[in-house]
Amino acid sequence: MTVLDPTPLIDIRDLRVTFNTPRGPAEAICGVDLSLKPGEVLGIVGESGSGKSVAMMALMHLLPPSATITGSVTFHGRELVGAPRAEMDRLRGAKIGMIFQDPLTAFNPVLTVGAQIVEALRLHDAALSKRAAWDRAVELLAEVAIPQPDRRAAQYPHEFSGGMRQRAMIAMAIANRPELLIADEPTTALDVTVQAQIMDVLHKLREERGIGLILITHDLGVVAGAADRIAVMYSGRIVEQGTVDDVFYASRHPYTRGLIAALPRLDGGDGPLTAIEGTPPSLFNRPRGCAFRPRCPVALAPCGEDVPPLRRAGVVESACWRAADLAEVPV
Amino acid sequence: MTDRTLDMALPAANSRPSAAARALAALRRLPAPALFGGAVVLFWVIAALTVQYWGLPEPLQIAGKRLQAPSLSHWLGTDALGRDVLSRTLHGAVFSVPVAIGVVAAGVAIGAALGAIAGYVGGVVDGLIMRLVDVTVAFPPILLAMTVAAILGPGLVNAAFAMVIVWWPIYARLMRAQVLEVREREHVEAAVAGGAGHTRVLCVHILPLCWTPILVNATMDFGQVVLLAASLSFIGLGASPPTPEWGSMISEGASRFYNWWVAFGPGMAILTLVLGFSFLGDGLRDLLDPRSS
């Protein structure tokens, strides 16, 4: 039912984030449009520094005061940009949950895991008794497949293994049944087998509860298995967007193609891994025109004139002046 | 399989050691000097609480001939008025120990509160509080305490008040530095992302991680306060003469060089108590700070 609901859960329009730094203003996000329907999973992919985390932190109001945020972010039609702290406190942790990259540092080290989930619960439901909240916390830990949840709840975060901590973090994030979950590199700090378990837990949540999920990652493999749609970010902009299959098989952006080509393959033979040459541009010194131009294998002189807008190209949306030409070249 | 082995190593939920048991375990890990220091401090605290039941002569009562050298009847001799020095020394704890505890507690309360606010709020508030701290620490402690005590008039309570004014800035600085460090940690951001308000973030997620250096510093400072209180009394700004306060007792004994025992008792009392607190503080730091040793 919620899946068919056409109104977006969250709608981001022309989001811009500028940091005031001693070296001058640094525009980390230069106009991002995104929307997510209830129950949908959106993967945001990009290199470190592409702005994917900053965009999410901006909508959660987690950026330092040196950041200037403009544009519009509506959650259920409510404007979040410029919303007062009290309103954000009612939303954060209740309607919008967030999972952090490093589950060890994201837990308060001096409180037991159970106590922290209890706190998350009682923060948004003052009527809940401590006893009842504790029982809920144990249930939540069970829900994310933590063995012996009643004992585990009484332990401190450092007594958990990495994978269990991340599962406990998820349990805490979903404690108040949020409609939107933002996962910022949820599997990056974990080894591959544990990654699969975490993705399993997230997948289940989405199936059972219809939670909308924004998955931030630099790992295309993670997105491929979990997301409905992908948005690829580069230097503060979305450069390509589409369904997972479309982006993987009909990409119209050389950057995305580079990322896909860089994926190690089991059947790839013994040859060296492909990499995209060069590094992302500095925020203080973006090239004119397309930011990817200096690293782009198919760039032409006019690419340096103007910033390419995100336009429909085949089955995807691509921000590349040569998107049409790329149709000829298979991915 | 891995999970199973892990789970077997788990303690049962209700077998988590109680707070008392954990405190005892921590005590056992204290190095020997710290235990010694703790024992000395404990002795003086007990003395402060129970000395009137020890069957000693009254500290203000003339117990024998004046200026008698230490003997079996007066272990530390008698002073210029014939009062028992041992009794006066032990009764001195009744003043020094509460003053030390009171001054440090008030200093920590004021300093930590202001430091936490300065560190968390930042900006103008931070600037105002920290400039006030700078101004206060710019004076030599004894001079500032003397000035305040002189303005307020002599007396132990006024001296204590003066010492609080000297002491709070140290804790404000310590607390501010801790808060600045802890507030940047990811779990604080996670708490904010979970919807915790300012008070909650500060009190639940930041402050509990800030106490270690303050605790260590406070332990050491007990001794320093004892010393400063005695200094103020010595120069006549603390407790006034008939009171068996260590500083004023030393002051009385200072002019009688050949009757060394008059100053010896209170001198040793200050020495042991200050040293005891120092050893204890050192030990606590070793115990609480994983980086040292």
Side-chain angles (χ1 to χ4, degrees):
Chain A
M1 137 219 114
T2 43
V3 184
L4 297 176
D5 191 345
T7 57
L9 183 61
I10 191 150
D11 197 29
I12 302 173
R13 288 287 150 238
D14 196 32
L15 183 70
R16 286 167 192 276
V17 177
T18 309
F19 289 97
N20 293 311
T21 72
R23 293 175 57 193
E27 201 178 13
I29 307 288
C30 337
V32 158
D33 297 293
L34 272 176
S35 77
L36 186 79
K37 292 193 278 285
E40 193 181 23
V41 179
L42 169 69
I44 302 181
V45 189
E47 280 166 288
S48 306
S50 58
K52 49 198 196 304
S53 292
V54 171
M56 293 307 113
M57 308 261 279
L59 81 85
M60 287 292 273
H61 287 211
L62 291 177
L63 291 175
S66 64
T68 315
I69 304 164
T70 61
S72 153
V73 176
T74 51
F75 179 76
H76 276 306
R78 218 176 327 171
E79 180 61 52
L80 298 190
V81 173
R85 164 101 189 213
E87 191 182 333
M88 287 310 293
D89 281 347
R90 277 194 299 275
L91 272 180
R92 295 187 285 207
K95 299 283 182 210
I96 309 177
M98 189 150 182
I99 301 169
F100 289 82
Q101 174 174 346
D102 185 345
L104 178 57
T105 55
F107 273 111
N108 185 334
V110 299
L111 293 176
T112 62
V113 171
Q116 296 187 54
I117 300 177
V118 164
E119 195 192 294
L121 284 163
R122 283 165 51 89
L123 200 56
H124 295 285
D125 183 3
L128 195 67
S129 76
K130 273 200 171 140
R131 190 65 245 172
W134 183 266
D135 293 341
R136 267 293 286 147
V138 172
E139 275 172 41
L140 281 161
L141 289 177
E143 196 170 335
V144 293
I146 285 180
Q148 298 188 300
D150 52 334
R151 289 183 186 184
R152 285 295 185 177
Q155 288 189 325
Y156 289 88
H158 72 263
E159 297 174 275
F160 277 49
S161 70
M164 274 198 210
R165 269 198 290 266
Q166 191 57 290
R167 273 182 272 175
M169 180 105 270
I170 294 173
M172 193 153 97
I174 61 166
N176 293 298
R177 305 189 165 276
E179 295 163 60
L180 172 64
L181 200 56
I182 298 173
D184 190 352
E185 310 247 6
T187 58
T188 306
L190 306 171
D191 64 58
V192 185
T193 47
V194 181
Q195 275 186 18
Q197 295 169 7
I198 297 297
M199 291 318 296
D200 250 19
V201 170
L202 289 175
H203 184 70
K204 256 219 200 98
L205 284 175
R206 183 260 186 110
E207 296 279 291
E208 289 168 7
R209 295 189 171 189
I211 293 179
L213 178 65
I214 297 180
L215 194 62
I216 302 171
T217 178
H218 60 251
D219 186 346
L220 271 179
V222 167
V223 179
D228 302 315
R229 274 193 307 129
I230 298 185
V232 181
M233 282 193 75
Y234 187 79
S235 194
R237 286 195 174 82
I238 292 179
V239 293
E240 185 158 31
Q241 188 170 205
T243 66
V244 170
D245 283 353
D246 291 345
V247 169
F248 267 81
Y249 298 111
S251 165
R252 291 291 187 88
H253 198 287
Y255 178 61
T256 316
R257 290 183 171 207
L259 288 180
I260 294 168
L263 279 177
R265 283 170 195 279
L266 284 177
D267 56 359
D270 299 334
L273 294 172
T274 351
I276 304 176
E277 295 293 324
T279 50
S282 151
L283 298 188
F284 297 102
N285 189 21
R286 276 207 185 84
R288 239 162 63 84
C290 175
F292 187 57
R293 191 180 56 86
R295 303 170 74 185
C296 182
V298 296
L300 298 173
C303 292
E305 300 288 318
D306 291 301
V307 176
L310 192 64
R311 291 174 306 185
R312 180 143 293 276
V315 284
V316 299
E317 285 173 48
S318 163
C320 176
W321 290 121
R322 303 205 57 199
D325 307 332
L326 283 171
E328 318 291 320
V329 192
V331 180
Chain B
M1 155 70 199
T2 336
D3 267 358
R4 187 167 297 256
T5 34
L6 264 179
D7 294 340
M8 277 161 61
L10 275 181
N14 51 5
S15 78
R16 179 168 289 286
S18 69
R22 268 182 291 158
L24 204 69
L27 207 62
R28 243 184 249 124
R29 282 186 290 136
L30 274 178
L35 279 179
F36 169 74
V40 170
V41 168
L42 193 66
F43 166 79
W44 282 114
V45 171
I46 291 171
L49 291 174
T50 63
V51 70
Q52 68 259 45
Y53 307 114
W54 290 12
L56 292 161
E58 281 295 306
L60 300 182
Q61 167 202 327
I62 292 168
K65 289 190 186 140
R66 53 194 296 268
L67 292 175
Q68 279 187 297
S71 63
L72 277 180
S73 50
H74 301 290
W75 291 2
L76 288 176
T78 58
D79 68 5
L81 295 172
R83 297 170 298 193
D84 185 66
V85 175
L86 176 66
S87 164
R88 286 176 65 76
T89 300
L90 289 173
H91 276 86
V94 176
F95 301 97
S96 295
V97 171
V99 163
I101 291 171
V103 168
V104 171
V108 166
I110 297 169
L114 288 175
I117 292 168
Y120 186 74
V121 178
V124 183
V125 178
D126 183 22
L128 278 175
I129 294 176
M130 294 326 284
R131 291 306 77 75
L132 190 61
V133 166
D134 289 343
V135 169
T136 317
V137 295
F139 293 99
I142 180 91
L143 218 59
L144 181 60
M146 273 168 63
T147 313
V148 178
I151 293 169
L152 295 172
L156 208 55
V157 176
N158 287 350
F161 190 77
M163 284 187 282
V164 172
I165 289 178
V166 171
W167 242 280
W168 72 269
I170 303 167
Y171 299 109
R173 275 197 175 159
L174 269 178
M175 188 50 125
R176 174 175 175 271
Q178 283 296 107
V179 168
L180 283 180
E181 197 261 313
V182 173
R183 64 177 283 186
E184 297 303 324
R185 295 200 193 163
E186 202 171 44
H187 79 265
V188 175
E189 191 174 73
V192 176
H198 286 303
T199 325
R200 202 167 189 88
V201 167
L202 185 60
C203 297
V204 177
H205 297 287
I206 296 181
L207 290 188
L209 284 86
C210 295
W211 287 113
T212 308
I214 289 176
L215 189 69
V216 170
N217 215 66
T219 316
M220 305 239 203
D221 274 356
F222 282 120
Q224 297 306 309
V225 171
V226 169
L227 210 55
L228 186 59
S231 308
L232 286 176
S233 296
F234 182 84
I235 55 178
L237 286 169
S240 24
T243 322
E245 205 280 338
W246 295 335
S248 63
M249 287 165 73
I250 292 178
S251 168
E252 286 165 33
S255 53
R256 302 179 182 280
F257 203 74
Y258 294 102
N259 309 112
W260 54 268
W261 56 87
V262 178
F264 179 78
M268 285 310 285
I270 295 171
L271 176 75
T272 50
L273 190 51
V274 174
L275 216 58
F277 276 125
S278 281
F279 281 178
L280 188 62
D282 260 342
L284 275 183
R285 186 178 51 202
D286 289 349
L287 192 71
L288 296 174
D289 184 0
R291 277 160 302 187
S292 69
S293 77

